Amino acid sequence: MTGTAADVGARPHPRGGGGAFAYLDLALLVLALPLVVLGGAPLLGFGLAAAGWLAARALGFVADRFAARSDDPLRALLVVIAALFGRLWLVVLAVIVAARLGDDQDGLTAVIVIGVAFTAYFVMAILLRPRPPRRAAVAAAREENDVSGANGGSGAR
């Protein structure tokens, strides 16, 4: 391993992608439905927010899979950026449609649902992200490569 950025990206995630915790936002959507019903919150706002969030997550999943399989880093980056903007527009559109089709309470419910789902998603993305190698390990690997290269392969006596 040379310690370059390409090497870091090629390493498998040590925790296997986070397992069920990677989908905490989706679990919260499912768990929130009974609370929304029992609390008397508008179901239209909840439904549109949940649909918008699920569509945004699906778009992100497809974009990430495409980027991971792409041989062209520029194309992969452009797809991920386009998907990021698409996801943003999906959730904003869900809130606007909820407020227009229903009333202000539907819009507020949609904002709260998307805010909670995004917070859970964001926190899990931070906690479960792949870790780059520690600087000390990278420096030691570089030093080892420099020492073996300085000896010219002739072996030290």
Side-chain angles (χ1 to χ4, degrees):
M1 177 178 227
T2 61
T4 64
D7 291 335
V8 172
R11 292 183 316 136
H13 192 287
R15 294 186 223 165
F21 287 112
Y23 302 102
L24 181 63
D25 57 323
L26 303 179
L28 286 176
L29 284 179
V30 173
L31 294 174
L33 181 59
L35 297 175
V36 169
V37 171
L38 292 174
L43 290 178
L44 177 67
F46 177 82
L48 288 172
W53 185 256
L54 291 173
R57 283 279 284 178
L59 178 60
F61 178 78
V62 169
D64 289 344
R65 297 279 294 216
F66 177 84
R69 286 187 281 204
S70 178
D71 292 334
D72 183 8
L74 179 60
R75 175 175 275 167
L77 179 64
L78 291 175
V79 166
V80 170
I81 291 172
L84 179 66
F85 280 100
R87 294 173 73 180
L88 173 66
W89 281 103
L90 281 170
V91 295
V92 168
L93 188 62
V95 171
I96 292 170
V97 169
R100 293 289 182 193
L101 289 180
D103 58 13
D104 289 344
Q105 294 300 314
D106 288 293
L108 179 61
T109 301
V111 167
I112 291 170
V113 168
I114 288 173
V116 169
F118 175 77
T119 301
Y121 174 80
F122 185 65
V123 168
M124 288 298 105
I126 290 172
L127 293 176
L128 301 174
R129 76 185 185 279
R131 306 276 196 255
R134 299 204 185 276
R135 289 184 182 182
V138 171
R142 285 184 183 155
E143 186 176 304
E144 183 179 307
N145 286 340
D146 291 344
V147 169
S148 63
N151 291 335
S154 61
R157 292 182 207 196

